[in-house]
Amino acid sequence: MPEDKIGKINQQLLDQPLIFLIRQIYRLLFIWPFQAVVSVISYFKFYNLKISNQTPQNFCFIVTSVIYIKQRDLNYTSKSSVYTPEERAAQTIKTIESIRAKAPGAKIILLEVGLQKNLPLDLENKVDQYVYLGDKFLVRKASDSKFKSLSEAVMLLHAKKYIKSDADVFIKICGRYVLDENFNLDSWRNNLFRLFYIRPDYVSTRLYSLGKQMLPIWYFVLIKGLPLLLLGYPIEHILARYIPKKYIVQAEKIGLMGADATSGQAVKE
């Protein structure tokens, strides 16, 4: 075990021994059995999956959004967003406009989990399909929790029955970010997952893609990660950890820019 990891565990024991003990019991009694069952099911479901060798033609962008956000402490920062709902809506309109410009003909689905269904600037009418999930009990609980990654996973899992498209490739993008001059649609024409690695155990979830045959694997990975997301693990780590490497194409650059919601700091990937 690496020394830095040992040091971190020892520090947890010293700082919060009771919480550390509870987390270990939770891992032993729930996480490991739960993930073992999910792993067995997914193995038998996907072990002989045959991937299409045809070049994908049709795209669908899934835009995840929280316009009217509940301000609360997150597990990694004290402020959910530095932007107002109107500013968030304006930024998301730019997201949509950049998709229209860079991927003409692609379908755009907006998934919204904010506190209100009706959005500023007529945002919901600027996409091909608007799905409001903020009134669903589990989605609301997750979205109002301190775990932002849990909110995203629950949103995507609940949206499964609403994502109806004949697209060959689904590109998930966070609302408020835009496709920039480095985005090249042709580089996303593959039937696997295309992920941008920030580090070996952490991928960007601001923009990534998956072929339509990868949809069931995506959902199983999100389900498998739920117990860890409840502990505050980032979804960026969950995807890097549980998506089988044989189904991943690594992206050197994705072509996205914007500003982090919690700090306003510029982001370019």
Side-chain angles (χ1 to χ4, degrees), residues 98-213:
S98 74
I99 296 172
R100 299 290 190 205
K102 298 287 186 178
K107 180 177 181 179
I108 303 177
I109 301 175
L110 177 64
L111 302 181
E112 173 62 43
V113 296
L115 296 170
Q116 296 184 30
K117 181 177 182 179
N118 296 324
L119 306 179
L121 308 178
D122 199 34
L123 173 58
E124 60 266 41
N125 292 317
K126 299 185 184 299
V127 293
D128 301 302
Q129 182 182 355
Y130 175 55
V131 180
Y132 180 66
L133 301 171
D135 56 352
K136 309 301 181 185
F137 178 78
L138 290 178
V139 175
R140 183 79 275 130
K141 288 295 184 182
S143 296
D144 293 344
S145 75
K146 65 180 181 178
F147 302 124
K148 188 175 180 180
S149 288
L150 176 67
S151 171
E152 180 164 329
V154 173
M155 173 206 313
L156 293 171
L157 287 169
H158 202 92
K160 177 181 178 181
K161 63 182 177 181
Y162 301 101
I163 299 177
K164 301 184 184 302
S165 172
D166 57 358
D168 301 315
V169 176
F170 293 84
I171 300 179
K172 183 269 177 188
I173 181 172
C174 290
R176 302 187 316 95
Y177 292 92
V178 300
L179 305 178
D180 65 18
E181 71 281 358
N182 293 312
F183 181 85
N184 180 357
L185 188 63
D186 286 336
S187 66
W188 298 85
R189 295 186 189 275
N190 72 79
N191 296 303
L192 303 175
F193 287 89
R194 188 170 193 263
L195 304 173
F196 174 67
Y197 280 77
I198 296 173
R199 59 177 188 260
D201 64 343
Y202 195 94
V203 300
S204 173
T205 58
R206 296 184 179 99
L207 180 67
Y208 64 92
S209 73
L210 56 149
K212 62 182 177 183
Q213 291 176 288

